[in-house]
Amino acid sequence: MQALKDKIKGEGKVLSDTVLKVDSFLNHQIDPQLMKEIGQEFADLFQKAEVTKIVTIESSGIAPATMAGLIMDIPVVFARKRKSLTLSKNLYTARVHSFTKNETNEISVSGDFIQPNDVVLIIDDFLANGQAVLGLIDIIKQAGADLAGVGIVIEKGFQSGGELLREQGIRVESLAIVSSLQNGEVVFAKGEQTE
Ligand code: G4P
């Protein structure tokens, strides 16, 4: 998706060989126009998948997921990382370990919001090692729902998540795949435009 790649090139900051900061449009400040285009892209990609629900994880997955949900006219559910005061019974939970942050969170979704007849599209902002997506897939399986696929805004192609999911036959659509962050430069995956 060219507009996203241009934005990453223009505003992304390479913090290290493995971390890309995109606080100005995705992880802190949100660019609603770009999010709308991202939502449209996901809607187009999964148009034929008969998706009934989008599932994401708080916090940065919520903006792109909501835009996709608006365009696809389906509800959006976000997994919580902290226990909610009002969320206690009938919960699906999964443990998600972040290698980046070296912490484990228990994520949860109320059983009220994923049904066995749902066809779920997972959307998230970053795909690194794939642990968050695997946790969401675990929850979708617990609910007995079907998985249509996974939509990712930025995949870090040099980390293992994409391969881990695709080798399981899961459809993963990433709008930008970064193949390297070395020497302070963002390089997109082969076949993707770099400028
Ligand atoms: P994984 O799920 O693919 O295994 O990812 P990982 O544990 O490595 O990532 C943990 C958190 O760090 C996630 O956000 C993820 O989106 C974010 N993250 C991973 N790599 C990058 C990166 O290069 N740049 C940025 N900006 N974020 C990255 P989170 O903790 O859930 O945060 P948030 O959604 O509340 O913002």
Side-chain angles (χ1 to χ4, degrees), residues 154-166:
I154 303 174
E155 174 177 343
K156 292 193 288 182
F158 53 87
Q159 292 181 317
S160 61
E163 198 183 341
L164 192 73
L165 298 172
R166 291 186 182 99

Side-chain angles (χ1 to χ4, degrees), residues 116-129:
N117 58 352
D118 274 321
V119 179
V120 176
L121 169 62
I122 291 174
I123 288 183
D124 207 0
D125 58 334
F126 268 91
L127 179 62
N129 296 296

Side-chain angles (χ1 to χ4, degrees), residues 132-190:
V133 170
L134 286 175
L136 292 175
I137 291 174
D138 185 358
I139 282 176
I140 290 160
K141 279 186 184 155
Q142 290 175 46
D146 284 338
L147 179 69
V150 179
I152 297 292
V153 181
I154 303 174
E155 174 177 343
K156 292 193 288 182
F158 53 87
Q159 292 181 317
S160 61
E163 198 183 341
L164 192 73
L165 298 172
R166 291 186 182 99
E167 72 186 11
Q168 293 180 33
I170 295 163
R171 179 178 176 199
V172 181
E173 299 284 359
S174 299
L175 305 188
I177 302 179
V178 174
S179 61
S180 165
L181 293 172
Q182 281 177 4
N183 306 315
E185 196 199 349
V186 180
V187 178
F188 293 106
K190 221 175 165 186

Side-chain angles (χ1 to χ4, degrees), residues 39 42-44 46-47 49-52 54 66-74 121 123:
F42 286 135
D44 291 346
F46 288 94
Q47 192 185 11
E50 297 183 356
V51 178
T52 63
I54 293 173
T66 303
M67 284 302 183
L70 180 67
I71 293 160
M72 296 169 86
D73 196 21
I74 52 176
L121 169 62
I123 288 183

Side-chain angles (χ1 to χ4, degrees), residues 1-9 25-26 31-45 64 67 71 151-155 173-178 188-189 191-195:
M1 185 185 162
Q2 197 54 48
L4 172 62
K5 288 178 203 160
D6 291 346
K7 193 80 167 176
I8 293 170
K9 276 282 178 186
F25 61 93
L26 184 59
D31 178 337
Q33 192 58 45
L34 181 66
M35 287 308 131
K36 193 174 156 199
E37 289 172 44
I38 284 170
Q40 185 67 60
E41 199 76 15
F42 286 135
D44 291 346
L45 285 164
M67 284 302 183
I71 293 160
I152 297 292
V153 181
I154 303 174
E155 174 177 343
E173 299 284 359
S174 299
L175 305 188
I177 302 179
V178 174
F188 293 106
E192 308 220 343
Q193 206 174 318
T194 53
E195 297 302 329

Side-chain angles (χ1 to χ4, degrees), residues 78-165:
F78 65 90
R80 290 181 177 269
K81 289 181 191 156
R82 286 163 292 276
K83 286 267 179 304
S84 150
L85 185 66
T86 56
L87 192 75
S88 55
K89 285 184 212 151
N90 189 23
L91 275 188
Y92 299 120
T93 62
R95 288 175 75 76
V96 173
H97 179 71
S98 167
F99 293 104
T100 308
K101 294 186 168 177
N102 195 24
E103 63 182 26
T104 301
N105 282 301
E106 187 168 69
I107 63 167
S108 52
V109 174
S110 164
D112 293 346
F113 302 125
I114 310 183
Q115 307 298 331
N117 58 352
D118 274 321
V119 179
V120 176
L121 169 62
I122 291 174
I123 288 183
D124 207 0
D125 58 334
F126 268 91
L127 179 62
N129 296 296
Q131 298 305 301
V133 170
L134 286 175
L136 292 175
I137 291 174
D138 185 358
I139 282 176
I140 290 160
K141 279 186 184 155
Q142 290 175 46
D146 284 338
L147 179 69
V150 179
I152 297 292
V153 181
I154 303 174
E155 174 177 343
K156 292 193 288 182
F158 53 87
Q159 292 181 317
S160 61
E163 198 183 341
L164 192 73
L165 298 172

